[in-house]
Amino acid sequence: MFFDEKIVAGLRGRDYIETNDWTDEELEVALELAADLKFKFRNGIPHRYLPDKTIFLLFFDKSTRTRNSFEAGATQLGAHAHFIDAETSQLAHGESPKDMGVILSSYGHAIAIRHDLVPGEGNTLMREVAKYAEVPVLNMQCDVDHPFQTLADLMTIREQFGRNLRGLKIAVSWAYAPSYAKPMSVPQGLIMLMTRFGLDVTLAHPPEWKLMPHTIEIAKKNAERLGTKFEIVDDMDAAFENADIVYPKSWGIEELFHKPEEALKLAANYKHWICDERRMKLAKKHAVYMHCLPADRGNEVTDEVIDGPQSIVYQEAENRLHTCKSVMTLTMS
Ligand code: CP
């Protein structure tokens, strides 16, 4: 497979904190390599591109897909992923991001961080670590973006619809969930990335569930610059109408992450924001249902939809492995 050597060289040692930090061309290389790695993994072709490398995975929040795609991915690349629960590290005693960045850089080859549940903190911490780290800092989900998820989503959408996504509509909608206040970073990451790669984006949420204003501005500017559409509505049905892709999921209210009971009480007014078969019929016949998972079954989505023929959630989750391995390979080589 041919890759532009200049772009590949420019990615060695680079951080991946937001998709916005990489150019379109750099993300294209990451997607191409992910497709190649998917082929190799499925066909049993060895691809030990990172022998003897170590990546530290620092988690301030729980995870199934992210932790396991990084750990399995590192093993398949010949590297080792070292899991660190933030609560059991000295960060819990107030150790500085600078000290952690400098010291972990001297032990290994990349630092990956998940810190997604406190608006205003995760992205700032990652950028602080990156200031002092001599190795790439990779964002496993923060308060602003989930760049490994949205890259896998873009890969999945292209597998489904082809490379040219012009004129296709994605509905990114809030949905009700009683489990916990989910981070805002997936919808924010989606509206910023998908407006950049040709999709028309309709964002839907009840009035209280606004996304961070700077992410809305970026989506608007992308749409203006590229001639894609970006609109915000407060009606889930309107968002689903004629959509090619629906991506309904829950997220929390920025001001209420520290008051979960209050947020949950408000959310109870919007239990009807569920992705069910009636709503799927509003979308185009060929429309696909996506969710980053975990999904609150019976609340965000019915079993009929998530287990039905339009759902591509497992393909989407699988692509987390391949995109993760691609970015590790490019940045850690
Ligand atoms: N989608 C996602 O990031 O899943 P996990 O929270 O399980 O890592």
Side-chain angles (χ1 to χ4, degrees):
M1 179 162 276
F2 171 78
F3 292 109
D4 185 322
E5 265 314 309
K6 220 166 132 189
I7 295 175
V8 171
L11 289 172
R12 269 182 214 120
R14 281 274 292 284
D15 301 325
Y16 183 61
I17 297 179
E18 293 179 42
T19 55
N20 295 322
D21 299 337
W22 285 24
T23 64
D24 292 355
E25 292 73 25
E26 288 168 341
L27 292 173
E28 290 289 1
V29 166
L31 288 166
E32 273 175 52
L33 180 57
D36 187 51
L37 287 164
K38 183 169 184 171
F39 177 83
K40 288 192 166 102
F41 179 70
R42 286 190 162 191
N43 290 283
I45 302 167
H47 43 278
R48 295 171 64 84
Y49 297 147
L50 297 174
D52 306 321
K53 304 260 174 163
T54 300
I55 178 168
F56 301 102
L57 311 180
L58 179 61
F59 279 90
F60 288 79
D61 189 16
K62 298 171 179 55
S63 168
T64 299
R65 280 142 292 270
T66 305
R67 175 177 175 181
N68 291 295
S69 58
F70 269 85
E71 290 202 17
T75 304
Q76 291 157 22
L77 292 167
H80 173 67
H82 197 111
F83 174 77
I84 308 165
D85 177 347
E87 268 307 302
T88 64
S89 79
Q90 294 293 8
L91 278 166
H93 286 152
E95 180 157 39
S96 76
K98 174 185 172 183
D99 292 355
M100 192 192 65
V102 172
I103 292 159
L104 292 185
S105 294
S106 71
Y107 294 168
H109 307 91
I111 303 169
I113 304 173
R114 166 168 282 197
H115 189 324
D116 54 356
L117 285 179
V118 189
E121 284 191 9
N123 197 275
T124 306
L125 174 100
M126 289 175 201
R127 297 217 180 264
E128 188 67 8
V129 173
K131 208 155 84 184
Y132 297 103
E134 287 177 8
V135 297
V137 173
L138 309 180
N139 178 0
M140 297 192 294
Q141 188 168 16
C142 71
D143 51 325
V144 176
D145 200 0
H146 193 354
F148 284 93
Q149 179 65 51
T150 56
L151 193 63
D153 292 341
L154 183 55
M155 178 178 180
T156 311
I157 291 169
R158 281 187 168 183
E159 286 174 341
Q160 204 68 25
F161 293 99
R163 271 178 72 102
N164 182 6
L165 303 177
R166 285 266 161 192
L168 295 180
K169 174 181 174 181
I170 180 170
V172 177
S173 176
W174 184 85
Y176 171 72
S179 58
Y180 71 110
K182 302 189 185 192
M184 301 161 75
S185 43
V186 170
Q188 290 175 165
L190 285 171
I191 63 167
M192 291 191 286
L193 185 65
M194 298 311 167
T195 46
R196 218 175 127 185
F197 278 82
L199 285 160
D200 294 334
V201 179
T202 298
L203 171 68
H205 59 76
E208 297 89 344
W209 277 266
K210 290 187 178 60
L211 298 180
M212 291 178 178
H214 83 274
T215 66
I216 298 286
E217 279 316 303
I218 290 170
K220 274 186 191 160
K221 284 202 177 116
N222 286 346
E224 275 164 27
R225 185 167 53 88
L226 296 160
T228 51
K229 291 182 193 147
F230 176 65
E231 61 170 352
I232 307 176
V233 298
D234 61 3
D235 178 344
M236 198 172 182
D237 282 359
F240 271 50
E241 263 165 33
N242 286 320
D244 299 278
I245 302 147
V246 296
Y247 202 128
K249 77 169 302 296
S250 190
W251 64 84
I253 298 176
E254 188 174 357
E255 301 77 25
L256 292 183
F257 269 81
H258 61 298
K259 293 183 184 165
E261 303 80 19
E262 215 172 293
L264 205 55
K265 215 169 128 192
L266 262 178
N269 298 323
Y270 298 99
K271 285 186 179 172
H272 54 289
W273 283 61
I274 181 170
C275 180
D276 56 14
E277 286 182 307
R278 180 194 70 78
R279 282 210 162 96
M280 286 304 293
K281 286 199 177 85
L282 298 173
K284 289 199 180 128
K285 236 188 164 96
H286 65 242
V288 293
Y289 164 83
M290 296 181 74
H291 193 298
C292 56
L293 305 180
D296 274 39
R297 284 169 175 257
N299 290 295
E300 287 179 285
V301 61
T302 60
D303 286 340
E304 289 74 20
V305 171
I306 196 167
D307 296 326
Q310 287 169 284
S311 174
I312 55 170
V313 293
Y314 297 128
Q315 180 185 339
E316 184 184 1
E318 182 199 332
N319 285 337
R320 291 293 309 276
L321 174 71
H322 311 301
T323 45
C324 166
K325 285 164 69 178
S326 170
V327 173
M328 284 197 285
T329 301
L330 291 166
T331 58
M332 293 169 64
S333 285

